[in-house]
Amino acid sequence: MSELKLGELLEKYPFVSDFFESTGFCIDSSLSLTFSEFLDNISQEELEDKAIDKKEIKIRLDTFIEQMLQFLGDKRENIESLTIFPGHNKSGEKEKFQKLDIFSSQIVSIVGATGSGKSRLLADIEWAAQNDTPTGRTIYINGRKPDPKWRYSTNNKLVAQLSQNMNFVMDLTAREFITMHAESRMIEDIEATVEKILKEANKLAGENFAPETAVTALSGGQSRALMIADTAVLSSSPIVLIDEIENAGIDRKKALDLLVSQDKIVLMATHDPLLALMADRRIVIKNGGIDKIIETTAEEKEVLVQLNSIDEIMQEARKRLRAGMTLEGELCQEVIHNPHSLGE
């Protein structure tokens, strides 16, 4: 790296400006020089004053660039598939499937009673289990045993989780909060990225919010919308888990569409039949184990269209009621007495 011209080095790795600032070097007038040439122009007295050894500082620069690339994920492996091999349930009985392959841009719903083991399945995936968890499951990534980085690295997280509870304690606006995250990721076009996230968040939120709104003033639905948009655009995690998105007060379909458009695998724990049908398949959890894997059929998709039509009308009804408007009697009677006709 020390043989690249400083201007080329900054263009290729913008973050090296932080390295030069930390060492006290001003390189603005030396961009046409290589780092080696730049060091040769510094007097021995100045080098001694800064306690800098030329050979050592070159090694430090190379190490800094390598570590930053690892942090930013430039060497991140693309996740095209995730494979779950069976373990056993709480009774020690083997799970009833051979293997389960999940591919990028797919949505899988995880359904089951509270305490059935949905969180345990996610934990197995997150930690890339190798028959060393309570369920005895094994996880493969891209058809092979995963690299240990998915288990032990702090920068290569396999799963990004969006929980039901979301509380902010920092005194920042929504724009400032997303900008800070984008800066920490060393995004090239920070302004455009921030605008995209805020725009997508407002598409998901039940009620729009301004970029200058304090994050502590956001409603629960607005907070979830902001985090879903942020996860879709900025998160490097290839797998996203959303816990009971039906309680978020957001446009659920748009949220799922946004996430899969970023080539992520979406695992969705839910009790909502509509959301379960939106998935490509459903994993049914019972007694701590995977009891069934159900592919969503074409017939179910047709039913989903009708149910979504009813759901849209009911959502509109709720908006009118919140706005203090009265509903037409004819609409109410249609919803109550003949809901199936609303999908026509």
Side-chain angles (χ1 to χ4, degrees):
M1 299 299 178
S2 59
E3 300 310 313
L4 284 175
K5 293 182 179 179
L6 293 177
E8 297 172 342
L9 196 63
L10 284 170
E11 183 177 356
K12 188 174 183 179
Y13 309 114
F15 50 77
V16 297
S17 60
D18 293 336
F19 175 84
F20 294 125
E21 287 181 16
S22 68
T23 55
F25 290 142
C26 180
I27 63 172
D28 294 343
S29 60
S30 306
L31 298 181
S32 61
L33 301 177
T34 66
F35 189 40
S36 295
E37 292 170 341
F38 173 78
L39 291 173
D40 290 338
N41 289 337
I42 299 177
S43 66
Q44 188 63 34
E45 291 77 10
E46 185 177 351
L47 289 174
E48 292 176 356
D49 184 58
K50 293 179 181 292
I52 289 176
D53 177 87
K54 288 184 179 181
K55 183 177 180 180
E56 181 185 349
I57 197 68
K58 291 178 183 179
I59 295 174
R60 284 174 53 193
L61 173 61
D62 291 342
T63 301
F64 177 81
I65 292 174
E66 183 178 353
Q67 290 177 342
M68 285 300 297
L69 289 177
Q70 290 177 351
F71 172 76
L72 295 173
D74 280 25
K75 297 180 179 179
R76 187 174 69 250
E77 180 182 8
N78 291 327
I79 302 300
E80 298 177 354
S81 69
L82 172 78
T83 303
I84 305 172
F85 291 96
H88 52 78
N89 63 19
K90 294 177 182 178
S91 302
E93 299 167 338
K94 187 175 180 180
E95 292 178 309
K96 303 174 182 178
F97 68 100
Q98 295 299 317
K99 70 173 182 174
L100 172 60
D101 292 314
I102 307 173
F103 300 95
S104 61
S105 298
Q106 283 192 339
I107 302 173
V108 175
S109 63
I110 305 171
V111 299
T114 301
S116 60
K118 298 189 293 296
S119 297
R120 181 66 261 172
L121 172 59
L122 181 71
D124 287 347
I125 296 172
E126 183 175 11
W127 291 103
Q130 296 297 300
N131 193 27
D132 54 2
T133 66
T135 63
R137 295 186 185 113
T138 298
I139 305 298
Y140 272 27
I141 297 172
N142 290 343
R144 60 183 183 273
K145 187 175 180 178
D147 189 296
K149 69 181 180 182
W150 297 116
R151 308 191 77 178
Y152 306 116
S153 172
T154 57
N155 300 325
N156 294 283
K157 289 297 184 182
L158 190 61
V159 174
Q161 294 196 42
L162 291 167
S163 66
Q164 295 185 59
N165 299 318
M166 200 159 292
N167 298 303
F168 294 104
V169 294
M170 57 183 64
D171 186 20
L172 294 173
T173 66
R175 184 190 299 279
E176 290 170 340
F177 176 76
I178 299 301
T179 299
M180 181 181 295
H181 187 197
E183 289 174 344
S184 73
R185 292 276 178 189
M186 300 291 182
I187 301 299
E188 291 185 6
D189 194 343
I190 292 178
E191 185 176 349
T193 301
V194 171
E195 291 302 321
K196 179 180 180 180
I197 292 172
L198 292 170
K199 180 180 178 181
E200 294 294 345
N202 273 307
K203 288 181 182 178
L204 304 180
E207 185 173 338
N208 287 1
F209 60 91
E212 306 312 318
T213 303
V215 291
T216 52
L218 296 176
S219 68
Q222 290 169 335
S223 299
R224 290 287 291 275
L226 185 63
M227 289 299 93
I228 288 173
D230 178 82
T231 299
V233 177
L234 276 180
S235 174
S236 61
S237 299
I239 301 172
V240 177
L241 172 81
I242 307 177
D243 187 17
E244 298 192 16
I245 193 175
E246 61 266 28
N247 297 331
I250 63 173
D251 190 314
R252 299 162 296 181
K253 187 176 186 305
K254 287 182 180 178
L256 296 176
D257 288 343
L258 175 62
L259 289 166
V260 297
S261 70
Q262 303 299 314
D263 295 328
K264 296 182 183 291
I265 295 172
V266 179
L267 292 161
M268 176 175 55
T270 182
H271 296 286
D272 187 333
L274 283 180
L275 284 172
L277 288 176
M278 286 182 190
D280 298 289
R281 67 186 72 176
R282 308 187 287 281
I283 298 176
V284 182
I285 305 294
K286 184 179 180 181
N287 191 30
I290 296 177
D291 186 61
K292 295 178 182 177
I293 300 171
I294 304 172
E295 298 284 341
T296 304
T297 66
E299 182 180 359
E300 288 175 326
K301 290 293 186 183
E302 292 177 4
V303 172
L304 178 62
V305 172
Q306 297 179 15
L307 292 175
N308 278 330
S309 297
I310 298 172
D311 188 56
E312 288 173 6
I313 291 176
M314 297 305 295
Q315 293 291 341
E316 180 63 27
R318 292 190 186 98
K319 289 181 182 179
R320 294 188 189 187
L321 288 172
R322 282 196 294 265
M325 300 172 61
T326 59
L327 291 172
E328 297 86 342
E330 183 178 343
L331 175 61
C332 289
Q333 293 300 316
E334 186 71 17
V335 172
I336 295 171
H337 297 297
N338 193 20
H340 295 291
S341 67
L342 299 179
E344 298 178 357

